[in-house]
Amino acid sequence: MAVRVPSMTTPQAPAGTFTQAQLGTQILIGWSGRQPGADQDTAFLLAYSLGDGQDGPEVGREAMRAALGRAGLRVGGPIQDAAESSRVQAKLLVQAGQAVLTLPHLSAQYPAPAEWLAATQGQGQVYGMFATAPWPEAVPGHPVGEDRLRAFVTDEDVVRTAAHCLLPVRSLG
């Protein structure tokens, strides 16, 4: 299974100790799959940067860390549950085949396939991974193979330096 990487981010106003230009291009991709011991599929969303910010990938990594902190997401900590924490400012709206993720520094759309949408309906939530590590090889408009995606999202440095959050699925009406 290949995942096509869309380029659908909308920059929002810079905040605090970082600028949007330092964050660089922000990407959102999703996939679904069965976890060991689970009886239904889980939907996943991955937010990451290409590392192309104006001051380079290392400054971009720190800018992303600051942006996630501002959104109430803990980098390197346990999985947070946005449904149980008013501090987490990450919202997920799923409507008409689109997932829209909104944080204080990012609004992105993901054109979701049917199996991803089915997993969101079955679980009522999505596992969000917000990487601070850039992924410059996963550029918009080019497919990302399942092996490449798996390698990135299971890389020890990527996992350890990311924020992990369960996002309740909201819809209009």
Side-chain angles (χ1 to χ4, degrees), residues 50 65 99 101 128 157 165 167:
L50 293 179
R65 180 182 290 274
L101 177 68
D157 181 56
C165 184
L167 300 163

mmCIF file of all heavy atoms in Angstrom, residues 50 65 99 101 128 157 165 167:
data_model
loop_
_atom_site.group_PDB
_atom_site.id
_atom_site.type_symbol
_atom_site.label_atom_id
_atom_site.label_comp_id
_atom_site.label_asym_id
_atom_site.label_seq_id
_atom_site.Cartn_x
_atom_site.Cartn_y
_atom_site.Cartn_z
ATOM 1 N N LEU A 50 8.977 18.883 6.417
ATOM 2 C CA LEU A 50 9.997 18.480 5.441
ATOM 3 C C LEU A 50 11.390 18.927 5.887
ATOM 4 O O LEU A 50 12.382 18.526 5.281
ATOM 5 C CB LEU A 50 9.681 19.068 4.061
ATOM 6 C CG LEU A 50 8.436 18.533 3.374
ATOM 7 C CD1 LEU A 50 8.246 19.218 2.023
ATOM 8 C CD2 LEU A 50 8.509 17.029 3.210
ATOM 9 N N ARG A 65 8.909 21.651 18.233
ATOM 10 C CA ARG A 65 8.787 21.315 19.654
ATOM 11 C C ARG A 65 8.056 22.440 20.403
ATOM 12 O O ARG A 65 7.154 22.185 21.197
ATOM 13 C CB ARG A 65 10.173 21.086 20.254
ATOM 14 C CG ARG A 65 10.176 20.738 21.729
ATOM 15 C CD ARG A 65 11.605 20.572 22.247
ATOM 16 N NE ARG A 65 12.232 19.385 21.721
ATOM 17 C CZ ARG A 65 12.130 18.167 22.263
ATOM 18 N NH1 ARG A 65 11.434 18.002 23.360
ATOM 19 N NH2 ARG A 65 12.737 17.144 21.731
ATOM 20 N N ALA A 99 -10.348 14.639 6.473
ATOM 21 C CA ALA A 99 -9.979 14.846 7.870
ATOM 22 C C ALA A 99 -9.295 16.210 7.935
ATOM 23 O O ALA A 99 -8.396 16.484 7.134
ATOM 24 C CB ALA A 99 -9.035 13.754 8.343
ATOM 25 N N LEU A 101 -7.260 18.576 10.539
ATOM 26 C CA LEU A 101 -6.573 18.697 11.819
ATOM 27 C C LEU A 101 -6.242 20.157 12.044
ATOM 28 O O LEU A 101 -5.682 20.816 11.164
ATOM 29 C CB LEU A 101 -5.278 17.868 11.812
ATOM 30 C CG LEU A 101 -4.423 17.961 13.072
ATOM 31 C CD1 LEU A 101 -5.136 17.295 14.248
ATOM 32 C CD2 LEU A 101 -3.065 17.320 12.826
ATOM 33 N N GLY A 128 -2.824 10.204 16.832
ATOM 34 C CA GLY A 128 -2.019 11.233 16.181
ATOM 35 C C GLY A 128 -0.577 11.181 16.649
ATOM 36 O O GLY A 128 -0.297 11.048 17.837
ATOM 37 N N ASP A 157 14.373 7.357 17.237
ATOM 38 C CA ASP A 157 14.531 8.801 17.443
ATOM 39 C C ASP A 157 13.238 9.543 17.113
ATOM 40 O O ASP A 157 12.846 10.460 17.836
ATOM 41 C CB ASP A 157 15.674 9.350 16.585
ATOM 42 C CG ASP A 157 15.871 10.845 16.795
ATOM 43 O OD1 ASP A 157 16.073 11.263 17.959
ATOM 44 O OD2 ASP A 157 15.796 11.594 15.797
ATOM 45 N N CYS A 165 -0.875 11.499 20.631
ATOM 46 C CA CYS A 165 -2.154 11.949 21.182
ATOM 47 C C CYS A 165 -3.320 11.207 20.538
ATOM 48 O O CYS A 165 -3.348 11.032 19.321
ATOM 49 C CB CYS A 165 -2.308 13.443 20.925
ATOM 50 S SG CYS A 165 -3.787 14.176 21.655
ATOM 51 N N LEU A 167 -6.942 11.515 19.401
ATOM 52 C CA LEU A 167 -7.800 12.634 19.010
ATOM 53 C C LEU A 167 -9.218 12.149 18.784
ATOM 54 O O LEU A 167 -9.440 11.282 17.931
ATOM 55 C CB LEU A 167 -7.280 13.261 17.707
ATOM 56 C CG LEU A 167 -5.863 13.825 17.744
ATOM 57 C CD1 LEU A 167 -5.328 14.020 16.352
ATOM 58 C CD2 LEU A 167 -5.864 15.126 18.528
#
